[in-house]
Amino acid sequence: MRGDGYYPRGGGGGGGQRRGNLHHSKTDGDHGNDDRDHKEKKKRDAFFDLKKYSDKRIHVKFMGGREVEGVLKGFDQLLNIVLDDAKEIIRVPEEQEGGVPAEEKRRYIGIVVLRGPSVILLSPTDGSEEIANPFVQAE
């Protein structure tokens, strides 16, 4: 082997490249990007603040279609949620031919911890009401 940093093909050096010519921002004295990235990581807060909904009823929908309603007691930055007095909402689909409307049942759960990554919708229930879909054409 030569002593100048040259590695021949197949010799573990990457196809005849000189290893001494690599430049990195740290060796050039440019630390501005590293400091900015570090500050951005420190500033990372919750995506949105749920404090205003503490001790109020909320409605949560999950991937897969499950729904839960209860009183918000706690949360973290990953959107893991603690609900008290929680009830699972079970919707029985309407029959195709009979035209019977969908039936809704509620099952009492109590206190529950909801896993944040599976939450797709979170909505306060106090002060809100269901309205007709304005985009559905009247028959």
Side-chain angles (χ1 to χ4, degrees), residues 71-136:
V71 178
L72 178 65
K73 291 297 181 181
F75 62 93
D76 65 8
Q77 66 184 13
L78 298 175
L79 205 61
N80 295 316
I81 300 170
V82 177
L83 292 183
D84 193 13
D85 192 31
K87 296 175 180 89
E88 181 181 13
I89 300 168
I90 303 165
R91 298 186 196 278
V92 178
E94 60 186 65
E95 295 180 19
Q96 297 295 329
E97 295 177 18
V100 178
E103 183 181 342
E104 184 178 285
K105 296 180 182 178
R106 294 179 180 254
R107 181 175 65 124
Y108 182 77
I109 301 174
I111 193 164
V112 65
V113 177
L114 309 176
R115 189 170 183 273
S118 62
V119 172
I120 59 170
L121 181 132
L122 191 136
S123 166
T125 57
D126 297 337
S128 62
E129 62 184 44
E130 188 174 339
I131 62 169
N133 186 347
F135 300 106
V136 174

Short mmCIF file of all heavy atoms in Angstrom, two decimals, residues 71-136:
data_model
loop_
_atom_site.label_atom_id
_atom_site.label_comp_id
_atom_site.label_asym_id
_atom_site.label_seq_id
_atom_site.Cartn_x
_atom_site.Cartn_y
_atom_site.Cartn_z
N VAL A 71 -63.93 12.85 29.69
CA VAL A 71 -63.41 14.08 30.26
C VAL A 71 -61.88 14.04 30.20
O VAL A 71 -61.26 13.11 30.73
CB VAL A 71 -63.89 14.26 31.71
CG1 VAL A 71 -63.32 15.53 32.32
CG2 VAL A 71 -65.40 14.27 31.77
N LEU A 72 -61.29 15.05 29.57
CA LEU A 72 -59.83 15.11 29.42
C LEU A 72 -59.18 15.40 30.77
O LEU A 72 -59.46 16.41 31.40
CB LEU A 72 -59.45 16.20 28.41
CG LEU A 72 -57.96 16.41 28.18
CD1 LEU A 72 -57.34 15.17 27.53
CD2 LEU A 72 -57.72 17.62 27.31
N LYS A 73 -58.30 14.50 31.19
CA LYS A 73 -57.58 14.67 32.46
C LYS A 73 -56.10 14.93 32.26
O LYS A 73 -55.46 15.54 33.11
CB LYS A 73 -57.76 13.42 33.35
CG LYS A 73 -59.16 13.26 33.86
CD LYS A 73 -59.53 14.43 34.75
CE LYS A 73 -60.92 14.27 35.32
NZ LYS A 73 -61.30 15.41 36.14
N GLY A 74 -55.52 14.47 31.15
CA GLY A 74 -54.11 14.69 30.91
C GLY A 74 -53.72 14.32 29.50
O GLY A 74 -54.45 13.63 28.80
N PHE A 75 -52.53 14.80 29.09
CA PHE A 75 -52.00 14.51 27.75
C PHE A 75 -50.51 14.79 27.77
O PHE A 75 -49.98 15.38 28.71
CB PHE A 75 -52.70 15.37 26.70
CG PHE A 75 -52.48 16.84 26.88
CD1 PHE A 75 -51.45 17.49 26.24
CD2 PHE A 75 -53.30 17.58 27.72
CE1 PHE A 75 -51.24 18.84 26.41
CE2 PHE A 75 -53.10 18.93 27.91
CZ PHE A 75 -52.07 19.56 27.26
N ASP A 76 -49.82 14.34 26.72
CA ASP A 76 -48.41 14.64 26.56
C ASP A 76 -48.15 15.11 25.14
O ASP A 76 -49.08 15.23 24.34
CB ASP A 76 -47.52 13.45 26.96
CG ASP A 76 -47.69 12.25 26.06
OD1 ASP A 76 -48.40 12.35 25.03
OD2 ASP A 76 -47.12 11.19 26.37
N GLN A 77 -46.87 15.37 24.81
CA GLN A 77 -46.55 15.93 23.50
C GLN A 77 -46.76 14.93 22.36
O GLN A 77 -46.84 15.32 21.20
CB GLN A 77 -45.14 16.47 23.46
CG GLN A 77 -44.07 15.41 23.60
CD GLN A 77 -42.69 16.03 23.65
OE1 GLN A 77 -42.56 17.23 23.82
NE2 GLN A 77 -41.68 15.21 23.51
N LEU A 78 -46.86 13.64 22.67
CA LEU A 78 -47.13 12.64 21.64
C LEU A 78 -48.62 12.43 21.41
O LEU A 78 -49.03 11.57 20.65
CB LEU A 78 -46.49 11.31 22.02
CG LEU A 78 -44.98 11.33 22.14
CD1 LEU A 78 -44.48 9.99 22.65
CD2 LEU A 78 -44.34 11.68 20.83
N LEU A 79 -49.44 13.21 22.11
CA LEU A 79 -50.89 13.15 22.05
C LEU A 79 -51.46 11.91 22.73
O LEU A 79 -52.57 11.49 22.44
CB LEU A 79 -51.39 13.27 20.60
CG LEU A 79 -52.79 13.80 20.39
CD1 LEU A 79 -52.93 15.21 20.93
CD2 LEU A 79 -53.19 13.78 18.95
N ASN A 80 -50.69 11.28 23.61
CA ASN A 80 -51.26 10.27 24.48
C ASN A 80 -52.22 11.00 25.42
O ASN A 80 -51.89 12.06 25.94
CB ASN A 80 -50.18 9.54 25.28
CG ASN A 80 -49.26 8.75 24.40
OD1 ASN A 80 -49.69 8.07 23.49
ND2 ASN A 80 -47.97 8.85 24.66
N ILE A 81 -53.41 10.45 25.60
CA ILE A 81 -54.47 11.17 26.30
C ILE A 81 -55.03 10.31 27.42
O ILE A 81 -55.21 9.10 27.26
CB ILE A 81 -55.61 11.51 25.30
CG1 ILE A 81 -55.08 12.37 24.18
CG2 ILE A 81 -56.77 12.17 26.00
CD1 ILE A 81 -56.05 12.55 23.04
N VAL A 82 -55.31 10.94 28.56
CA VAL A 82 -55.99 10.27 29.67
C VAL A 82 -57.40 10.84 29.76
O VAL A 82 -57.58 12.05 29.89
CB VAL A 82 -55.25 10.49 31.01
CG1 VAL A 82 -56.02 9.84 32.15
CG2 VAL A 82 -53.84 9.95 30.93
N LEU A 83 -58.40 9.97 29.65
CA LEU A 83 -59.80 10.37 29.77
C LEU A 83 -60.43 9.70 30.98
O LEU A 83 -60.16 8.52 31.27
CB LEU A 83 -60.60 9.95 28.52
CG LEU A 83 -60.31 10.63 27.20
CD1 LEU A 83 -61.26 10.11 26.13
CD2 LEU A 83 -60.41 12.12 27.31
N ASP A 84 -61.28 10.44 31.67
CA ASP A 84 -62.05 9.90 32.78
C ASP A 84 -63.51 9.85 32.35
O ASP A 84 -63.92 10.61 31.47
CB ASP A 84 -61.89 10.78 34.02
CG ASP A 84 -62.41 10.11 35.29
OD1 ASP A 84 -62.66 8.89 35.26
OD2 ASP A 84 -62.55 10.81 36.31
N ASP A 85 -64.28 8.98 32.96
CA ASP A 85 -65.70 8.81 32.63
C ASP A 85 -65.86 8.56 31.14
O ASP A 85 -66.73 9.12 30.47
CB ASP A 85 -66.49 10.05 33.07
CG ASP A 85 -67.99 9.84 33.02
OD1 ASP A 85 -68.43 8.69 33.22
OD2 ASP A 85 -68.72 10.81 32.75
N ALA A 86 -64.97 7.71 30.58
CA ALA A 86 -64.95 7.46 29.14
C ALA A 86 -66.01 6.45 28.73
O ALA A 86 -66.30 5.50 29.46
CB ALA A 86 -63.58 6.96 28.73
N LYS A 87 -66.55 6.69 27.54
CA LYS A 87 -67.53 5.78 26.95
C LYS A 87 -67.12 5.52 25.51
O LYS A 87 -66.80 6.45 24.76
CB LYS A 87 -68.92 6.40 26.98
CG LYS A 87 -69.44 6.64 28.38
CD LYS A 87 -70.77 7.36 28.34
CE LYS A 87 -71.27 7.59 29.73
NZ LYS A 87 -70.82 8.85 30.31
N GLU A 88 -67.13 4.25 25.12
CA GLU A 88 -66.87 3.90 23.73
C GLU A 88 -68.18 4.01 22.96
O GLU A 88 -69.22 3.55 23.42
CB GLU A 88 -66.32 2.48 23.61
CG GLU A 88 -66.02 2.08 22.19
CD GLU A 88 -65.50 0.67 22.05
OE1 GLU A 88 -65.58 -0.10 23.02
OE2 GLU A 88 -65.03 0.34 20.96
N ILE A 89 -68.12 4.61 21.80
CA ILE A 89 -69.31 4.77 20.96
C ILE A 89 -69.25 3.68 19.90
O ILE A 89 -68.30 3.62 19.11
CB ILE A 89 -69.35 6.16 20.32
CG1 ILE A 89 -69.38 7.22 21.41
CG2 ILE A 89 -70.54 6.29 19.38
CD1 ILE A 89 -69.14 8.62 20.92
N ILE A 90 -70.26 2.84 19.89
CA ILE A 90 -70.31 1.72 18.95
C ILE A 90 -71.47 1.99 17.99
O ILE A 90 -72.61 2.11 18.40
CB ILE A 90 -70.54 0.38 19.69
CG1 ILE A 90 -69.43 0.18 20.72
CG2 ILE A 90 -70.60 -0.77 18.70
CD1 ILE A 90 -69.73 -0.90 21.73
N ARG A 91 -71.13 2.10 16.72
CA ARG A 91 -72.16 2.36 15.71
C ARG A 91 -72.45 1.07 14.95
O ARG A 91 -71.56 0.47 14.35
CB ARG A 91 -71.70 3.43 14.74
CG ARG A 91 -71.43 4.76 15.41
CD ARG A 91 -71.13 5.83 14.39
NE ARG A 91 -70.52 7.00 15.00
CZ ARG A 91 -71.19 7.97 15.60
NH1 ARG A 91 -72.49 7.91 15.68
NH2 ARG A 91 -70.55 9.00 16.12
N VAL A 92 -73.71 0.67 14.99
CA VAL A 92 -74.15 -0.50 14.25
C VAL A 92 -74.57 0.01 12.87
O VAL A 92 -75.44 0.88 12.77
CB VAL A 92 -75.33 -1.20 14.96
CG1 VAL A 92 -75.82 -2.39 14.16
CG2 VAL A 92 -74.93 -1.61 16.36
N PRO A 93 -73.95 -0.50 11.79
CA PRO A 93 -74.27 0.04 10.47
C PRO A 93 -75.71 -0.24 10.07
O PRO A 93 -76.32 -1.22 10.50
CB PRO A 93 -73.30 -0.69 9.54
CG PRO A 93 -72.78 -1.84 10.30
CD PRO A 93 -72.97 -1.56 11.76
N GLU A 94 -76.25 0.68 9.26
CA GLU A 94 -77.62 0.52 8.80
C GLU A 94 -77.72 -0.63 7.81
O GLU A 94 -76.76 -0.97 7.12
CB GLU A 94 -78.13 1.80 8.17
CG GLU A 94 -77.33 2.26 6.96
CD GLU A 94 -77.79 3.61 6.46
OE1 GLU A 94 -77.65 4.59 7.19
OE2 GLU A 94 -78.29 3.63 5.33
N GLU A 95 -78.88 -1.23 7.77
CA GLU A 95 -79.11 -2.33 6.83
C GLU A 95 -79.22 -1.75 5.42
O GLU A 95 -79.78 -0.69 5.21
CB GLU A 95 -80.37 -3.08 7.20
CG GLU A 95 -80.28 -3.77 8.55
CD GLU A 95 -81.56 -4.51 8.90
OE1 GLU A 95 -82.37 -4.78 7.98
OE2 GLU A 95 -81.75 -4.80 10.07
N GLN A 96 -78.69 -2.47 4.46
CA GLN A 96 -78.65 -1.97 3.09
C GLN A 96 -80.05 -1.88 2.47
O GLN A 96 -80.39 -0.88 1.88
CB GLN A 96 -77.77 -2.90 2.23
CG GLN A 96 -76.33 -2.92 2.67
CD GLN A 96 -75.65 -1.58 2.49
OE1 GLN A 96 -75.97 -0.82 1.58
NE2 GLN A 96 -74.70 -1.27 3.36
N GLU A 97 -80.87 -2.91 2.62
CA GLU A 97 -82.17 -2.94 1.93
C GLU A 97 -83.28 -2.32 2.77
O GLU A 97 -84.17 -1.68 2.26
CB GLU A 97 -82.54 -4.38 1.57
CG GLU A 97 -81.59 -4.99 0.56
CD GLU A 97 -81.92 -6.45 0.27
OE1 GLU A 97 -83.04 -6.87 0.57
OE2 GLU A 97 -81.04 -7.14 -0.26
N GLY A 98 -83.22 -2.51 4.07
CA GLY A 98 -84.31 -2.06 4.93
C GLY A 98 -84.34 -0.56 5.14
O GLY A 98 -85.38 0.00 5.46
N GLY A 99 -83.22 0.11 4.98
CA GLY A 99 -83.18 1.55 5.17
C GLY A 99 -83.28 1.96 6.63
O GLY A 99 -83.59 3.10 6.93
N VAL A 100 -83.04 1.03 7.55
CA VAL A 100 -83.09 1.35 8.97
C VAL A 100 -81.88 2.22 9.31
O VAL A 100 -80.75 1.89 8.94
CB VAL A 100 -83.08 0.05 9.82
CG1 VAL A 100 -83.06 0.36 11.30
CG2 VAL A 100 -84.25 -0.83 9.45
N PRO A 101 -82.08 3.35 9.99
CA PRO A 101 -80.94 4.21 10.31
C PRO A 101 -79.95 3.52 11.25
O PRO A 101 -80.29 2.59 11.96
CB PRO A 101 -81.58 5.43 10.97
CG PRO A 101 -82.94 5.01 11.37
CD PRO A 101 -83.34 3.87 10.49
N ALA A 102 -78.71 4.00 11.22
CA ALA A 102 -77.65 3.43 12.04
C ALA A 102 -77.99 3.58 13.52
O ALA A 102 -78.54 4.59 13.95
CB ALA A 102 -76.33 4.10 11.74
N GLU A 103 -77.68 2.56 14.28
CA GLU A 103 -77.94 2.56 15.71
C GLU A 103 -76.63 2.86 16.44
O GLU A 103 -75.58 2.40 16.05
CB GLU A 103 -78.48 1.19 16.13
CG GLU A 103 -78.86 1.09 17.58
CD GLU A 103 -79.36 -0.29 17.93
OE1 GLU A 103 -79.73 -1.06 17.03
OE2 GLU A 103 -79.36 -0.61 19.12
N GLU A 104 -76.73 3.65 17.50
CA GLU A 104 -75.55 4.01 18.27
C GLU A 104 -75.68 3.48 19.69
O GLU A 104 -76.67 3.73 20.36
CB GLU A 104 -75.41 5.53 18.30
CG GLU A 104 -74.17 6.02 18.98
CD GLU A 104 -74.07 7.52 18.92
OE1 GLU A 104 -73.74 8.05 17.85
OE2 GLU A 104 -74.32 8.15 19.96
N LYS A 105 -74.67 2.73 20.12
CA LYS A 105 -74.65 2.20 21.49
C LYS A 105 -73.43 2.78 22.19
O LYS A 105 -72.43 3.10 21.56
CB LYS A 105 -74.54 0.68 21.48
CG LYS A 105 -75.73 -0.02 20.88
CD LYS A 105 -75.55 -1.52 20.92
CE LYS A 105 -76.71 -2.22 20.27
NZ LYS A 105 -76.53 -3.68 20.25
N ARG A 106 -73.52 2.92 23.50
CA ARG A 106 -72.39 3.42 24.29
C ARG A 106 -72.04 2.40 25.36
O ARG A 106 -72.91 1.88 26.03
CB ARG A 106 -72.72 4.77 24.92
CG ARG A 106 -72.90 5.84 23.88
CD ARG A 106 -73.24 7.18 24.49
NE ARG A 106 -73.41 8.16 23.45
CZ ARG A 106 -72.53 9.11 23.18
NH1 ARG A 106 -71.42 9.20 23.88
NH2 ARG A 106 -72.75 9.98 22.22
N ARG A 107 -70.74 2.16 25.48
CA ARG A 107 -70.25 1.21 26.48
C ARG A 107 -69.35 1.97 27.44
O ARG A 107 -68.38 2.60 27.03
CB ARG A 107 -69.46 0.09 25.80
CG ARG A 107 -68.94 -0.95 26.75
CD ARG A 107 -68.28 -2.07 25.98
NE ARG A 107 -67.10 -1.59 25.28
CZ ARG A 107 -65.89 -2.11 25.44
NH1 ARG A 107 -65.70 -3.13 26.23
NH2 ARG A 107 -64.86 -1.62 24.78
N TYR A 108 -69.67 1.92 28.75
CA TYR A 108 -68.89 2.64 29.74
C TYR A 108 -67.55 1.96 29.95
O TYR A 108 -67.47 0.75 30.14
CB TYR A 108 -69.66 2.70 31.07
CG TYR A 108 -68.94 3.48 32.13
CD1 TYR A 108 -68.92 4.88 32.10
CD2 TYR A 108 -68.25 2.84 33.14
CE1 TYR A 108 -68.25 5.60 33.06
CE2 TYR A 108 -67.57 3.55 34.11
CZ TYR A 108 -67.57 4.93 34.07
OH TYR A 108 -66.89 5.65 35.02
N ILE A 109 -66.47 2.74 29.91
CA ILE A 109 -65.12 2.22 30.10
C ILE A 109 -64.53 2.69 31.42
O ILE A 109 -63.85 1.95 32.09
CB ILE A 109 -64.19 2.67 28.94
CG1 ILE A 109 -64.73 2.17 27.62
CG2 ILE A 109 -62.77 2.17 29.16
CD1 ILE A 109 -63.97 2.69 26.42
N GLY A 110 -64.76 3.95 31.80
CA GLY A 110 -64.18 4.51 33.02
C GLY A 110 -62.96 5.35 32.67
O GLY A 110 -62.97 6.11 31.72
N ILE A 111 -61.87 5.16 33.43
CA ILE A 111 -60.65 5.91 33.15
C ILE A 111 -59.81 5.12 32.16
O ILE A 111 -59.70 3.90 32.27
CB ILE A 111 -59.87 6.24 34.44
CG1 ILE A 111 -58.80 7.28 34.16
CG2 ILE A 111 -59.31 5.01 35.08
CD1 ILE A 111 -58.25 7.96 35.40
N VAL A 112 -59.23 5.82 31.17
CA VAL A 112 -58.53 5.13 30.09
C VAL A 112 -57.38 6.00 29.59
O VAL A 112 -57.45 7.22 29.64
CB VAL A 112 -59.52 4.78 28.95
CG1 VAL A 112 -60.06 6.02 28.29
CG2 VAL A 112 -58.90 3.85 27.93
N VAL A 113 -56.32 5.33 29.12
CA VAL A 113 -55.20 6.01 28.47
C VAL A 113 -55.29 5.69 26.99
O VAL A 113 -55.29 4.52 26.60
CB VAL A 113 -53.84 5.55 29.04
CG1 VAL A 113 -52.69 6.22 28.28
CG2 VAL A 113 -53.75 5.83 30.52
N LEU A 114 -55.34 6.72 26.15
CA LEU A 114 -55.46 6.56 24.71
C LEU A 114 -54.10 6.81 24.07
O LEU A 114 -53.43 7.79 24.38
CB LEU A 114 -56.48 7.54 24.14
CG LEU A 114 -57.84 7.56 24.83
CD1 LEU A 114 -58.72 8.65 24.24
CD2 LEU A 114 -58.51 6.21 24.74
N ARG A 115 -53.70 5.94 23.18
CA ARG A 115 -52.39 6.03 22.54
C ARG A 115 -52.42 7.09 21.44
O ARG A 115 -53.21 7.01 20.49
CB ARG A 115 -52.00 4.67 21.97
CG ARG A 115 -50.59 4.60 21.48
CD ARG A 115 -50.21 3.17 21.17
NE ARG A 115 -48.84 3.10 20.75
CZ ARG A 115 -48.43 3.26 19.51
NH1 ARG A 115 -49.30 3.51 18.56
NH2 ARG A 115 -47.16 3.18 19.20
N GLY A 116 -51.55 8.07 21.54
CA GLY A 116 -51.55 9.23 20.65
C GLY A 116 -51.39 8.96 19.18
O GLY A 116 -52.11 9.55 18.37
N PRO A 117 -50.45 8.11 18.74
CA PRO A 117 -50.25 7.93 17.31
C PRO A 117 -51.46 7.37 16.57
O PRO A 117 -51.56 7.51 15.36
CB PRO A 117 -49.07 6.96 17.23
CG PRO A 117 -48.32 7.19 18.49
CD PRO A 117 -49.37 7.50 19.52
N SER A 118 -52.40 6.76 17.27
CA SER A 118 -53.57 6.21 16.60
C SER A 118 -54.75 7.19 16.54
O SER A 118 -55.77 6.91 15.93
CB SER A 118 -54.01 4.91 17.28
OG SER A 118 -54.38 5.17 18.62
N VAL A 119 -54.61 8.36 17.14
CA VAL A 119 -55.68 9.37 17.13
C VAL A 119 -55.69 10.08 15.78
O VAL A 119 -54.67 10.53 15.29
CB VAL A 119 -55.47 10.40 18.27
CG1 VAL A 119 -56.44 11.55 18.15
CG2 VAL A 119 -55.59 9.74 19.62
N ILE A 120 -56.88 10.17 15.16
CA ILE A 120 -57.00 10.90 13.90
C ILE A 120 -57.87 12.15 14.04
O ILE A 120 -57.76 13.06 13.23
CB ILE A 120 -57.52 10.02 12.75
CG1 ILE A 120 -58.89 9.45 13.06
CG2 ILE A 120 -56.55 8.93 12.43
CD1 ILE A 120 -59.55 8.77 11.89
N LEU A 121 -58.72 12.21 15.08
CA LEU A 121 -59.57 13.38 15.26
C LEU A 121 -59.82 13.58 16.74
O LEU A 121 -60.05 12.62 17.47
CB LEU A 121 -60.91 13.19 14.53
CG LEU A 121 -61.88 14.35 14.62
CD1 LEU A 121 -62.41 14.67 13.24
CD2 LEU A 121 -63.00 14.03 15.56
N LEU A 122 -59.77 14.82 17.17
CA LEU A 122 -60.05 15.16 18.56
C LEU A 122 -60.93 16.40 18.54
O LEU A 122 -60.60 17.39 17.88
CB LEU A 122 -58.73 15.46 19.27
CG LEU A 122 -58.83 15.58 20.77
CD1 LEU A 122 -57.68 14.81 21.38
CD2 LEU A 122 -58.82 17.01 21.18
N SER A 123 -62.07 16.33 19.23
CA SER A 123 -63.04 17.41 19.14
C SER A 123 -63.71 17.63 20.50
O SER A 123 -64.07 16.66 21.17
CB SER A 123 -64.08 17.05 18.09
OG SER A 123 -65.20 17.88 18.18
N PRO A 124 -63.90 18.88 20.92
CA PRO A 124 -64.66 19.12 22.15
C PRO A 124 -66.14 18.81 21.91
O PRO A 124 -66.66 19.05 20.82
CB PRO A 124 -64.44 20.60 22.43
CG PRO A 124 -64.11 21.19 21.11
CD PRO A 124 -63.43 20.12 20.32
N THR A 125 -66.81 18.27 22.91
CA THR A 125 -68.23 17.98 22.74
C THR A 125 -69.10 19.06 23.36
O THR A 125 -70.23 19.26 22.94
CB THR A 125 -68.61 16.63 23.40
OG1 THR A 125 -68.25 16.66 24.77
CG2 THR A 125 -67.90 15.49 22.72
N ASP A 126 -68.59 19.78 24.36
CA ASP A 126 -69.36 20.85 24.99
C ASP A 126 -69.43 22.04 24.04
O ASP A 126 -68.43 22.50 23.52
CB ASP A 126 -68.71 21.29 26.31
CG ASP A 126 -68.70 20.16 27.33
OD1 ASP A 126 -69.54 19.26 27.20
OD2 ASP A 126 -67.86 20.20 28.24
N GLY A 127 -70.64 22.52 23.80
CA GLY A 127 -70.81 23.68 22.94
C GLY A 127 -70.80 23.36 21.46
O GLY A 127 -70.70 24.26 20.63
N SER A 128 -70.87 22.10 21.09
CA SER A 128 -70.90 21.76 19.67
C SER A 128 -72.11 20.87 19.41
O SER A 128 -72.59 20.18 20.29
CB SER A 128 -69.61 21.05 19.26
OG SER A 128 -69.47 19.84 19.96
N GLU A 129 -72.58 20.92 18.18
CA GLU A 129 -73.72 20.09 17.80
C GLU A 129 -73.52 19.59 16.38
O GLU A 129 -72.77 20.18 15.59
CB GLU A 129 -75.02 20.87 17.90
CG GLU A 129 -75.08 22.07 16.98
CD GLU A 129 -76.34 22.89 17.19
OE1 GLU A 129 -76.73 23.14 18.34
OE2 GLU A 129 -76.93 23.28 16.16
N GLU A 130 -74.16 18.50 16.05
CA GLU A 130 -74.04 17.91 14.73
C GLU A 130 -74.98 18.64 13.77
O GLU A 130 -76.13 18.92 14.09
CB GLU A 130 -74.41 16.43 14.79
CG GLU A 130 -74.14 15.69 13.52
CD GLU A 130 -74.38 14.19 13.66
OE1 GLU A 130 -74.35 13.69 14.78
OE2 GLU A 130 -74.59 13.55 12.62
N ILE A 131 -74.44 18.95 12.58
CA ILE A 131 -75.26 19.61 11.57
C ILE A 131 -75.34 18.72 10.34
O ILE A 131 -74.54 17.79 10.17
CB ILE A 131 -74.69 20.99 11.18
CG1 ILE A 131 -73.30 20.84 10.56
CG2 ILE A 131 -74.66 21.93 12.37
CD1 ILE A 131 -72.78 22.11 9.91
N ALA A 132 -76.29 19.02 9.47
CA ALA A 132 -76.44 18.24 8.23
C ALA A 132 -75.27 18.57 7.32
O ALA A 132 -74.73 19.69 7.31
CB ALA A 132 -77.75 18.61 7.55
N ASN A 133 -74.86 17.60 6.51
CA ASN A 133 -73.76 17.78 5.58
C ASN A 133 -74.19 18.72 4.46
O ASN A 133 -75.10 18.41 3.68
CB ASN A 133 -73.34 16.42 5.01
CG ASN A 133 -72.10 16.50 4.15
OD1 ASN A 133 -71.66 17.58 3.76
ND2 ASN A 133 -71.54 15.35 3.86
N PRO A 134 -73.53 19.87 4.34
CA PRO A 134 -73.97 20.83 3.30
C PRO A 134 -73.57 20.42 1.88
O PRO A 134 -74.04 21.00 0.92
CB PRO A 134 -73.24 22.12 3.70
CG PRO A 134 -72.05 21.65 4.46
CD PRO A 134 -72.47 20.40 5.15
N PHE A 135 -72.75 19.39 1.74
CA PHE A 135 -72.27 18.96 0.42
C PHE A 135 -73.07 17.82 -0.18
O PHE A 135 -72.87 17.45 -1.31
CB PHE A 135 -70.80 18.56 0.51
CG PHE A 135 -69.91 19.68 0.98
CD1 PHE A 135 -69.41 19.66 2.25
CD2 PHE A 135 -69.66 20.75 0.16
CE1 PHE A 135 -68.62 20.71 2.70
CE2 PHE A 135 -68.86 21.80 0.60
CZ PHE A 135 -68.34 21.78 1.87
N VAL A 136 -74.03 17.28 0.58
CA VAL A 136 -74.85 16.19 0.08
C VAL A 136 -76.00 16.78 -0.71
O VAL A 136 -76.71 17.68 -0.25
CB VAL A 136 -75.38 15.31 1.24
CG1 VAL A 136 -76.35 14.27 0.75
CG2 VAL A 136 -74.21 14.66 1.96
#
